[in-house]
């Protein structure tokens, strides 16, 4: 999958980035928590308390894009990139990676790097390297 430069919108990308920053900042100010989606979801499914803010965060992350598409304010083409066994294997590997890496791209990439965490810098470097190798393999050999 390549970036469709004709459809790329710098202003919407900037707005999306700013919304992520504001969400991370508000969560840190309100709860003293880093916005790591894997730990938020893990706490929702586990025994962590309280669950209300976790549920609201996950619901917002799922519902916001659906509402934007349904509103018709911004026409976002939806393209499925995986299905069947590939989807489940990919989801398992992402979950395994977040467990091994003690966090996800949002926790390390957004919150960890902004706090100049050396551990997050290493994690993000591994995420990016793994993504590059995976894309290369699927486009030029193993896929």
């Amino acid at each position: 999958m390549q970036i469709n430069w004709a459809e790329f919108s710098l202003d919407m990308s900037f707005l999306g980035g700013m919304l992520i920053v504001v969400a991370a900042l508000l969560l840190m100010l309100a709860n003293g928590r880093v916005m790591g989606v894997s730990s938020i979801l893990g706490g929702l499914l586990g025994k962590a308390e309280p669950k209300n803010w976790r549920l609201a965060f996950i619901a917002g992350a799922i519902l916001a894009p659906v509402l934007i598409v349904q509103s018709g304010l911004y026409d976002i083409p939806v393209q499925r990139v995986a299905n069947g066994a590939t989807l489940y294997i990919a989801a398992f590997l992402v979950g395994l990676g977040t467990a091994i890496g003690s966090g996800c791209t949002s926790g390390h990439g957004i919150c960890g790097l902004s706090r100049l965490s050396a551990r997050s810098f290493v994690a993000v470097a591994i995420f990016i390297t793994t993504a590059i190798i995976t894309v290369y393999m699927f486009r030029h050999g193993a896929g």
Side-chain angles (χ1 to χ4, degrees):
M1 185 172 176
Q2 295 179 0
I3 293 176
N4 181 351
W5 291 107
E7 299 285 330
F8 179 76
S9 170
L10 187 59
D11 57 338
M12 291 303 286
S13 299
F14 181 76
L15 177 62
M18 290 292 93
L19 288 173
I20 291 170
V21 168
V22 169
L25 182 61
L26 289 175
L27 185 61
M28 181 62 79
L29 291 173
N31 289 5
R33 300 287 314 223
V34 169
M35 189 182 76
V37 177
S38 61
S39 63
I40 293 171
L41 182 60
L44 182 62
L45 300 175
K47 296 181 181 182
E49 294 293 334
K51 295 193 183 295
N52 292 343
W53 71 268
R54 295 172 192 274
L55 184 59
F57 185 92
I58 298 297
I62 293 169
L63 291 176
V66 172
L67 292 175
I68 288 173
V69 169
Q70 295 300 320
S71 73
L73 293 174
Y74 188 67
D75 185 27
I76 303 170
V78 177
Q79 181 181 16
R80 183 175 280 222
V81 294
N83 56 32
T86 303
L87 179 66
Y88 294 107
I89 292 168
F92 171 77
L93 290 174
V94 167
L96 180 64
T98 61
I100 292 170
S102 298
C104 58
T105 53
S106 57
H108 285 299
I110 297 166
C111 299
L113 290 180
S114 65
R115 295 178 317 166
L116 303 176
S117 166
R119 183 177 92 161
S120 290
F121 180 79
V122 171
V124 170
I126 292 171
F127 295 158
I128 292 171
T129 302
T130 303
I132 290 168
I133 292 169
T134 302
V135 168
Y136 182 84
M137 286 174 50
F138 272 88
R139 288 198 176 165
H140 302 289

